[in-house]
Amino acid sequence: MADGAQAAVCKLCGGKMMYSKDDKRWRCMYCGTFSEFYSAENTDVDGIARQVIEDVAQGRLDQAERNLSDCTRKNQKAVATQIATISYYMGRYASAGSERESKDYSERTSYYIKGFLAEYPELREEETRFYNSFEERNSHDVIANLINLFTVMGGYGKSRVQFLMSLTDVGSVMSESENRRLLMAAIREQNQENIEKILRNKAHINPGDSCRMILFEYPDSPEKQKFIELAMDQDAAESLNKNEYLQYYNGQDSTETKLVVLGRMMEYSVPFDAMQILQELLQFVQSSAEVGNILQVLYSRKVDSRRDEEIFEYMIRNVTYCDLIPWFLNLFEQLDIYMPVSSGTLIDVMNLPFPSDIKRTVLVELYQNDHFVIENRAKDVAISHYLTEVGEPFEQRVAFLSVVLVPGYLSPRTVRNYLINADMDGAGKAEMVKYFFNAGYKVSFDRDLLTDYWQRGNDPSDVKNRVLACLQGEGFSLDGTDIGDYILGNEDDEKKLTIAREMVNNGATIPSDLAARYVDAVLNGRLTSFSERIMHYIIKDNSEMDFQTFTSYALYFRDANKPEHILKLLQNISEIDRGVLASFAGNNVVMNILQAYILLTVDPLDRATLAVDAFHEMGLSETEKVTMPDGSKQSFDKLLQSDWESLSETTRKLMEKKKWNPFHR
């Protein structure tokens, strides 16, 4: 007992006295002696006061008000009445429905406390007799109410709290509201024994409120971790909302204590913003081992609330933790977690400065483990980036690509992009291409690949030849369409000849209509100039040209090899049209192609002479009659004689050389 206060004791043996309702007297629990020291009137008041306090503890305030009225009427000044009065108004204050009510009951409570302390500044025998009259079986809630009441009085109530604590077990209180206040007081005093007793009284505490008090009021310590495990059951964990959890993780508790909370959240599958909590936790870590501990707890169970991909991206961007990533990914398989992964995430891993063995392990795991859900298109995009943008040593690239390149997602665009644009593999490029075919790439996916690589690939010739040999070994070839399209393109003429020769050397054939298409492209302005060298290269024995295009070529193109070309082209024209329209002396005259050539040629004399010989060889003659505009027939000689002076010098010399001059006959 505190402050020298005495409980009700037997005057004969000093044993504890207990009030008997049946006898209306006090009886020594040790020797059985009865005492008449207490009057029946006070005994009645004490009993009614106890009932008031019990009513308040159980929230029966209306019933408490009626009993207090009876108690006051019997003895207003009795210590029991005063204590019951304070208890009642504190109960009203706690349950006030408005600010006005709260203020009113607060003022009344303060008034009665002031009066009580003025009359009973310290614990006395009369007061202890009142407390000792409580029946132990029903006293826990009443005593809890009084403990909470005197706790409010600070130092003035300390001796009373200590005395009341000796009369009860705080773990047996049934009133939820009293337990809440008891826990608050125990936390304030860091009374670990009482905290544990109250928390274990689970049927009579509010789990959420109790957990909040431990989380936010009790100082960080190993004991706090024990109390969290005791307080944070399923109901408590679910009663806290996301903001409260985040508020806690923003607090000053140690990482170890916060992990205890996180473990409970995982155990009870509490929804929470895992990324926010993880970021808060990682602010205070010093090593990868600590990060591993956090992740171990965060992934101690499979839950739906984690944003796994976001956590993974956070991890890979913090290169300090890169040694943890393979272990972290292994957790997904252990917990049977399926995480979507985008091409952007794959590319991030490829670009980050991880040690090569870690990067390869992570990438292979992502590509091959079914727990990482990646669309084939995303895999292809990332592989394309890796092939053309990630400049790692060739051995490292092969070690990764030889494993992950499998049928199903390697697109023609990726292969083409690598062949034409990538140069980082150097002499190993042909070897890399072989892995594409090992992964199921087929000729049918992109038949023009060899052609495009020939045309646009910028590799050194030795590398290019090895790559071409590899492609040809897989069945790729160049065809006439390829070489024709290239010749009719806008590349430099010298480059066209170089590439065309390479194409032919690698299996391409010159299309029979290419010379005709080439001449037509020049005539129509699709090509800005005519190349004698290209024309000579593409004219073959099987070259075909329609007669109209042939006429334009023979009459108007300057070509050193024209006589030879005329002969080849005419041999493949099934029917030579004799109706070439030529303008002479102001008239449109119809004649054969030889006559038109003699009349209109732009070639020098020696070339024109050979061209005429070629026409003769094909059975054409300058002696055929021509058709005048009026339909009349006229000899070719006479036509030329009609305007001899207007003829070109080549035409006149050609006529003289061949002795066709009409004036010399």
Side-chain angles (χ1 to χ4, degrees), residues 411-426:
S411 72
R413 181 173 61 179
T414 293
V415 175
R416 180 184 292 263
N417 189 31
Y418 171 74
L419 279 176
I420 294 174
N421 298 319
D423 59 2
M424 57 192 64
D425 289 328

Side-chain angles (χ1 to χ4, degrees), residues 265-304:
M265 295 167 69
M266 299 304 300
E267 180 177 355
Y268 300 124
S269 300
V270 176
F272 61 96
D273 191 326
M275 192 64 244
Q276 283 186 305
I277 289 178
L278 181 62
Q279 287 176 310
E280 291 296 334
L281 288 171
L282 292 180
Q283 289 185 65
F284 306 103
V285 298
Q286 303 295 324
S287 67
S288 291
E290 292 177 283
V291 178
N293 290 336
I294 294 172
L295 292 174
Q296 188 75 64
V297 176
L298 183 61
Y299 282 85
S300 57
R301 291 172 182 261
K302 180 181 178 181
V303 298
D304 296 330

Side-chain angles (χ1 to χ4, degrees), residues 353-366:
F354 292 168
S356 59
D357 57 335
I358 293 178
K359 179 183 290 189
R360 183 169 62 254
T361 300
V362 171
L363 286 172
V364 169
E365 185 74 9
L366 290 174

Side-chain angles (χ1 to χ4, degrees), residues 649-660:
E649 183 178 354
T650 297
T651 300
R652 289 199 301 268
K653 287 183 178 181
L654 186 61
M655 294 292 288
E656 291 172 353
K657 187 174 182 179
K658 294 292 186 179
K659 299 181 180 180
W660 293 335

